[in-house]
Amino acid sequence: FSKDSRDGVDQVFLRSSQGASALISLHGGQVLSWKTDRGEELLFMSSKAIFKPPHPVRGGIPICFPQFGNRGSLEQHGFARNKIWLVDDSPPSMNQNDSHSPNNACIDLLLRPSEDDLKLWPHSFEFRLRVSMSSDGGLTLTSRIRNINCKPFSFSFAYHTYFLVSDISEVRVEGLETLDYLDNLCHKERFTEQGDALTFESEIYRVYLGSTGTVAVFDHERKRTIIIKKAGLPDIVVWNPWEKKSKMMVDLGDEEYRQMICVDGAVIEKPIALKPGEEWTGRLELSVKVFNVESKE
Ligand code: TA6
């Protein structure tokens, strides 16, 4: 990998053997860009994104930890995405079932709580994030969060992933059929999905529960599908602010909601509880398939 900096914050550039690439900022440990081997951008980044800590960057894959949403004294989606992470030169070896192979381009980042963080959230943790690119251009994010103090703690988590789409009217999300979801536009009321695929005509903010399989984001106009595989992330957030909410967001262009859809691997309904010494792993594997118009695949 190579390092560069923007506005004084280091960024790490990963390139796979076939030319696919990713850009990760130490501000938030946030993936800002993920491109195919032909240089096509796959993640949305707002044209009005603010790259100044501690403001979260509107796009890419913000890490929501130790909470998703805004509860209690912590800021919305927790503090991890607003902190400067360290490059971890000597990461402990991943457990044996890690899908990492030596020819993946990868970077290991580390976040530990500062004194100020501990005042807000009095739990000592070690958060190791590995971002790796496989030779075929797939992007994998592996989070390992360990409790290193003397009392148990719980947290919720999300990879708040902004996918770039040609137009929201061309997008279909499959893999959430029959799941229950909490509708955040309806007082978090619980519903069961009846459709065969999700399409979008208005603001959506749902947390689908107990998703174990693969989720696919089809972009019909771009003739490509992003495949989302995950481990340790039972919930899926689907969010698009639509026009009215976009107009109220200083760091999102008024019409840009049409080029994004958030489909987030998350742990929300049942927060993770860690005893001292225990570690949780949450892995998100993203890959791209190009399909011709005749067949869906
Ligand atoms: O995932 C949806 C959500 O929780 C919405 O509440 C919306 O605020 C979005 O996250 C973005 O949150 P942010 O704090 O980045 O503006």
Side-chain angles (χ1 to χ4, degrees), residues 56 58 62 68-69 76-77 81 160 162 205 237 239 249 251 262 264:
R58 174 82 53 209
F68 181 83
Q76 158 113 319
H77 295 333
R81 64 179 181 167
H160 201 312
Y162 287 76
Y205 179 6
V237 182
W239 174 64
M249 294 161 75
D251 59 352
C262 282
D264 312 345

Side-chain angles (χ1 to χ4, degrees), residues 1 19 41 56 117 177 235:
F1 66 85
E41 179 59 67
D117 299 337
E177 297 78 1
D235 304 326

Side-chain angles (χ1 to χ4, degrees), residues 82-143:
N82 292 333
K83 309 303 284 182
I84 302 297
W85 290 55
L86 301 172
V87 175
D88 184 2
D89 296 318
S90 57
S93 63
M94 285 263 194
N95 48 30
Q96 65 287 352
N97 65 5
D98 173 52
S99 59
H100 183 68
S101 74
N103 61 1
N104 288 7
C106 87
I107 178 73
D108 287 292
L109 302 181
L110 174 62
L111 180 70
R112 288 194 181 103
S114 65
E115 288 311 309
D116 287 351
D117 299 337
L118 288 167
K119 287 192 193 105
L120 266 181
W121 198 66
H123 305 297
S124 293
F125 64 86
E126 232 169 41
F127 186 156
R128 294 180 189 280
L129 172 67
R130 171 170 287 179
V131 183
S132 71
M133 293 212 79
S134 55
S135 53
D136 65 359
L139 181 70
T140 297
L141 282 76
T142 306
S143 289

